[in-house]
Amino acid sequence: MLTDYHVHLRPAGLSDSFAGAFNAANVERYREAATAAGIAELGVSEHIHRFQQSLAIWDHPFWREQALDDIHAYCEFVRERTDLRLGLEVDFVPGREDRTQSLIDSCELDYVVGSVHFLGDLAVDFDRFDIWAAGRSPEDVWRRYFETLAEAARSGLFDILAHPDLVKMWGDGRPSPPGDPRRYYEPALEAIAESGIAVEVSTAGLRKPVGEIYPAPAFLAGALEAGAPIALSSDAHVPEHIGYAYDQALALLEELGVHELAVFAARERRLEPLGP
Ligand SMILES: [Zn+2]
Ligand SMILES: [Zn+2]
């Protein structure tokens, strides 16, 4: 089986409408792309910050600008009007675990994808709130990123840890710490081992300046050693990106001896043989 779980029907811009993304014809475009790519298990995981209800968790200016939709209308649409698995991509906001849990619990989800995009108010992957412009050392940013990822894994809020080394997203476009990055991975890998969370292999990094799959092979090898099940996704925001460059992801997984993928329904996980 092949999966694509980390998928957005709603484009990143603000010019479109809820109805423009969440309608049968749009879902059909994604479903057709998945079928063409041999992906049987297709799910959608909209960003939490697109929903008005997310402002109860965090009132970051970016969230205030983006929080336009009703989360229950989204869940109802996916549940009642599509055959997609229902997920959410939820930021880990330290100190707001209870509020995050309440919002997750108010939806009947198949899975929750947990992400770290922000460290404090600044983002590792977004030039409008650029942590790299704040004069911090790359050592400090990388250490803090993977420590926060560890906290996210341990929080128990999430089923899948998304794009686990997103901090590398800019590639040579931002500073990175010299030498072997594995020293930064340690806290996150320990938390992955303790929590049992599934780890996402995401081909989205291939479309970004870094031009690499998330996570790096050394991180992925560490996660497998820690016993983590693997979830496979494209992080598509358009149908053309469903199953994006899966040949490269499958080659990497094969090389590392991965033969099963994590599959989710009603927040229960099972493993299925990997392959089209
Ligand atoms: Zn993300
Ligand atoms: Zn995403």
Side-chain angles (χ1 to χ4, degrees):
M1 175 178 280
L2 291 180
T3 62
D4 203 342
Y5 276 145
H6 186 153
V7 168
H8 304 272
L9 294 173
R10 193 93 153 97
L14 288 174
S15 52
D16 62 304
S17 67
F18 180 91
F22 302 110
N23 66 72
N26 195 35
V27 169
E28 190 51 31
R29 292 160 66 217
Y30 281 75
R31 178 53 84 186
E32 275 172 16
T35 304
I39 295 163
E41 185 76 0
L42 184 63
V44 59
S45 57
E46 290 309 329
H47 283 290
I48 190 102
H49 64 244
R50 296 311 300 254
F51 302 108
Q52 297 146 12
Q53 289 87 346
S54 71
L55 298 179
I57 300 173
W58 201 28
D59 65 349
H60 189 280
F62 179 62
W63 287 33
R64 277 204 298 273
E65 163 196 307
Q66 293 267 317
L68 301 173
D69 298 346
D70 177 61
I71 200 166
H72 301 298
Y74 159 68
C75 293
E76 194 182 307
F77 170 77
V78 176
R79 277 243 167 276
E80 311 289 328
R81 311 271 302 282
T82 80
D83 61 354
L84 305 176
R85 294 286 179 209
L86 174 58
L88 269 183
E89 179 175 9
V90 179
D91 283 72
F92 176 66
V93 185
R96 305 292 164 87
E97 290 86 346
D98 291 351
R99 300 181 200 188
T100 306
Q101 186 77 63
S102 304
L103 187 50
I104 289 171
D105 288 348
S106 74
C107 310
E108 276 178 52
L109 300 167
D110 288 310
Y111 57 86
V112 181
V113 178
S115 296
V116 175
H117 304 104
F118 286 90
L119 301 175
D121 287 340
L122 298 175
V124 298
D125 66 332
F126 189 21
D127 49 11
R128 277 181 55 203
F129 299 91
D130 193 356
I131 197 163
W132 302 102
R136 295 231 187 81
S137 73
E139 287 83 1
D140 182 42
V141 173
W142 276 56
R143 196 189 63 248
R144 207 166 142 213
Y145 172 80
F146 286 104
E147 284 172 2
T148 308
L149 193 71
E151 268 188 82
R154 279 206 182 86
S155 70
L157 292 165
F158 314 123
D159 303 299
I160 300 168
L161 202 54
H163 39 59
D165 60 350
L166 183 71
V167 69
K168 73 180 179 186
M169 196 276 284
W170 292 106
D172 292 338
R174 299 288 189 278
S176 56
D180 191 334
R182 276 180 292 190
R183 63 191 185 280
Y184 297 102
Y185 300 163
E186 261 338 291
L189 294 175
E190 259 173 48
I192 286 166
E194 284 169 27
S195 63
I197 193 168
V199 168
E200 179 180 83
V201 168
S202 169
T203 55
L206 293 166
R207 307 191 298 270
K208 304 291 179 173
V210 69
E212 292 173 10
I213 285 173
Y214 303 121
F219 187 105
L220 186 56
L224 292 167
E225 212 169 290
I230 300 304
L232 176 61
S233 288
S234 67
D235 207 346
H237 288 66
V238 290
E240 294 72 35
H241 287 160
I242 293 287
Y244 183 87
Y246 267 22
D247 52 338
Q248 294 185 49
L250 294 177
L252 175 64
L253 291 170
E254 172 72 33
E255 199 181 301
L256 291 172
V258 177
H259 301 294
E260 289 176 315
L261 279 188
V263 173
F264 296 86
R267 305 207 64 193
E268 296 282 332
R269 181 175 78 206
R270 64 179 204 278
L271 295 173
E272 290 281 345
L274 166 63

